[in-house]
Amino acid sequence: MKKLFQDLSSGKTRVESVPSPAAASGELLIASSRSLISAGTERMLVAFGKANLLQKARSQPDKVRMVLDKIRTDGVAATLAAVRSKLDEPLALGYCNVGVVRELGSGVDGFSVGDRVVSNGPHAEVVSVPKNLCARIPDAVSNDEAAFTVLGAIALQGVRLIQPTLGESFAVTGMGLIGLLTVQLLRANGCRVLAIDLDPARLELARRFGAATVDLSADVDPLAAAESFSRGRGVDGVVITASTQSSEPVSQAAKMCRKRGRIILVGVTGLTLNRADFYQKELSFQVSCSYGPGRYDPAYEQRGQDYPVGFVRWTEQRNFEAVLDLLATGALDVEPLISHRFALDDAEQAYAALLGREPALGILLEYSQVTAEAGDRTMILSDRPATAGAGRISVIGAGNYAGRVLIPAFKAAGAVLDTVVSAGGASAARQARKHDFARASSDAAAAIEESEADTVVVATRHDSHAEYVLRALRAGKHVFCEK
């Protein structure tokens, strides 16, 4: 199957062939039909990749501190090798996926094969996604519309945190995709909205959705506009969806709020704050975390442990469902947000449009053959015959230690490299190309029981070692276990 990656060292995007992932326990295997490029996040990632090493360091001072700490403990050479290895590892792009369920992993309920679903899967022909990060698409919602669900959930979580009530007035700073979705959600709550941006075309869309606007490119004073818009009281709250290193959006938000107003940061800004602006008005300030409760919680996302609805009404999955319901009723209109369409094979052109001078907003990637089978889990790179007297190995696990230490050691010792395996398939394909394996796969059972390898190297996480060691021994293989 094909999957989109970004090279972190050069910033180039490319579509690569990799093995199809497995439907792991608790996950849905999905054949993609659409995915949406998240303009803000993905533009930032591509710009980071294109930056030189010094610019990368300046943009991530916390990572620089980690590198300095590693130099003190491991030395310069080991640290430099680790940094280069990290930058050489391609990044899978995307998190707004629409497709059809092709297979259910064990322990998945509430979904059926053939369901149309949204997920936070990457830009790839086939994705495997935990069940709590998926939601079924209503019949009234098209694939194009459904592709906006994840971004809609990010906007919705910001709106939930600001707690709008009927008739309140809010400013929204930044009219990218999430900002324009936020405008519509606040309007759906019966609120008056003031949209602030530098782009007249995006402000025209905001007006179409019922917002008053402030065009910063025309030297309009946003504070004076907010004062007039709020009838001299100050706005009830501000949602910041802009992406900038400047602290000005937060400073402006504090000044335009009424006493005890609320500020929610959904985007990324500088946070050099003036205490007096917040102290005198007793303002509330909160940073919104992605799609909502459950985000970054391994128990919820990876192990499928839902939060009780009586205690956490709106999890990230329920936010997905709420956005889909709004799309189904027409309360959320995303068709005007689509500016470009590209086939997955033309993804490089899509990212050129994202970074170009021409206006770009919602860029959809389209996939063919949605009804096809889920994909081949083993990719043959060469048909290498057995070599007399040489050990032939399969490696289960394609992480940093396997790629930097184990595989080079076996290769230097003269071993024949047969198959390398990773659950998602992508890292196996990378190690296979880098070290000249005959096959890359996401199917550990096939690599152990069906390959010509006489030795299996187990380099997975510790809690899976016993399973793979026993399986290899039962298949009559020699076993080398990392620990």
Side-chain angles (χ1 to χ4, degrees):
M1 69 156 197
K2 295 176 180 177
K3 186 172 183 177
L4 181 62
F5 294 95
Q6 182 206 8
D7 188 329
L8 282 176
S9 60
S10 68
K12 292 183 179 179
T13 56
R14 61 180 184 272
V15 177
E16 290 187 1
S17 293
V18 300
S20 174
S25 175
E27 295 190 353
L28 284 68
L29 193 68
I30 303 165
S32 302
S33 59
R34 298 285 191 281
S35 60
L36 174 69
I37 293 177
S38 175
T41 301
E42 296 189 52
R43 184 185 289 113
M44 183 171 60
L45 288 171
V46 173
F48 174 81
K50 290 182 179 296
N52 60 41
L53 200 56
L54 181 59
Q55 291 168 329
K56 285 183 171 74
R58 285 175 174 170
S59 67
Q60 293 197 325
D62 54 329
K63 297 292 193 297
V64 173
R65 286 191 291 271
M66 292 171 63
V67 169
L68 293 175
D69 289 341
K70 188 172 179 64
I71 288 174
R72 283 190 282 270
T73 57
D74 297 354
V76 174
T79 302
L80 186 59
V83 170
R84 284 176 174 167
S85 175
K86 190 66 177 177
L87 290 176
D88 285 343
E89 185 175 339
L91 176 69
L93 292 170
Y95 58 90
C96 303
N97 185 282
V98 173
V100 176
V101 177
R102 288 291 166 235
E103 188 179 334
L104 301 174
S106 60
V108 174
D109 51 16
F111 294 93
S112 301
V113 171
D115 284 345
R116 282 194 312 140
V117 295
V118 299
S119 76
N120 77 334
H123 302 308
E125 289 181 325
V126 181
V127 299
S128 186
V129 183
K131 64 178 182 179
N132 281 349
L133 290 167
C134 301
R136 195 183 290 107
I137 301 171
D139 291 340
V141 178
S142 69
N143 288 338
D144 288 355
E145 293 171 322
F148 288 82
T149 300
V150 176
L151 289 187
I154 295 173
L156 180 56
Q157 177 61 12
V159 170
R160 293 200 190 285
L161 291 177
I162 210 163
Q163 299 179 344
T165 60
L166 189 70
E168 284 191 306
S169 64
F170 292 94
V172 180
T173 301
M175 288 296 104
L177 288 175
I178 294 176
L180 289 164
L181 291 167
T182 300
V183 167
Q184 294 189 64
L185 292 169
L186 287 169
R187 292 289 296 151
N189 276 274
C191 300
R192 299 170 61 241
V193 181
L194 182 66
I196 303 171
D197 200 88
L198 288 159
D199 188 326
R202 295 185 180 188
L203 290 171
E204 178 57 36
L205 283 172
R207 283 191 290 273
R208 176 173 173 174
F209 298 139
T213 60
V214 176
D215 186 351
L216 298 178
S217 69
D219 291 329
V220 178
D221 182 357
L223 299 181
E227 179 76 4
S228 174
F229 177 76
S230 64
R231 304 184 178 107
R233 302 184 184 105
V235 296
D236 295 289
V238 180
V239 181
I240 303 170
T241 58
S243 178
T244 175
Q245 294 182 353
S246 170
S247 300
E248 188 63 20
V250 183
S251 176
Q252 285 182 350
K255 292 172 183 174
M256 65 176 62
C257 273
R258 64 167 171 82
K259 194 174 183 67
R260 295 190 177 179
R262 295 98 75 189
I263 302 171
I264 302 297
L265 177 59
V266 177
V268 180
T269 70
L271 289 176
T272 301
L273 308 180
N274 182 351
R275 178 179 180 274
D277 290 339
F278 288 79
Y279 171 75
Q280 293 172 2
K281 293 183 178 179
E282 293 186 321
L283 298 178
S284 299
F285 175 76
Q286 188 170 357
V287 179
S288 178
C289 181
S290 197
Y291 331 138
R295 191 66 178 127
Y296 308 117
D297 177 359
Y300 178 88
E301 293 192 334
Q302 297 168 22
R303 297 195 288 275
Q305 298 174 8
D306 199 3
Y307 297 157
V309 68
F311 295 91
V312 184
R313 177 62 184 91
W314 296 109
T315 60
E316 49 188 330
Q317 185 184 57
R318 292 171 199 144
N319 277 340
F320 287 179
E321 293 170 347
V323 171
L324 287 164
D325 289 339
L326 290 168
L327 289 167
T329 61
L332 200 58
D333 183 10
V334 297
E335 286 293 336
L337 306 183
I338 300 172
S339 62
H340 295 77
R341 298 172 186 273
F342 294 92
L344 178 65
D345 285 337
D346 298 325
E348 288 188 39
Q349 297 176 35
Y351 283 85
L354 177 67
L355 299 174
R357 294 184 177 182
E358 294 298 317
L361 196 56
I363 302 176
L364 287 174
L365 297 180
E366 299 177 332
Y367 302 77
S368 60
Q369 299 180 342
V370 178
T371 56
E373 292 301 316
D376 194 342
R377 293 184 57 191
T378 298
M379 184 171 67
I380 299 174
L381 300 175
S382 68
D383 189 11
R384 184 176 296 132
T387 302
R392 192 177 184 97
I393 69 168
S394 285
V395 180
I396 313 300
N400 276 336
Y401 187 73
R404 290 174 52 203
V405 179
L406 294 180
I407 294 172
F410 277 99
K411 189 174 182 179
V416 177
L417 306 182
D418 188 285
T419 305
V420 58
V421 179
S422 66
S427 57
R430 173 175 170 263
Q431 297 295 352
R433 292 187 177 102
K434 182 177 180 179
H435 297 291
D436 194 27
F437 276 84
R439 296 168 186 82
S441 180
S442 63
D443 189 350
I448 292 171
E449 295 154 9
E450 299 174 17
S451 75
E452 298 178 0
D454 52 51
T455 300
V456 173
V457 179
V458 179
T460 56
R461 293 182 178 180
H462 298 173
D463 60 358
S464 64
H465 284 179
E467 172 192 351
Y468 292 125
V469 167
L470 290 173
R471 184 180 292 178
L473 290 173
R474 290 179 184 129
K477 311 286 186 178
H478 300 290
V479 179
F480 176 93
C481 189
E482 178 190 349
K483 294 220 173 32

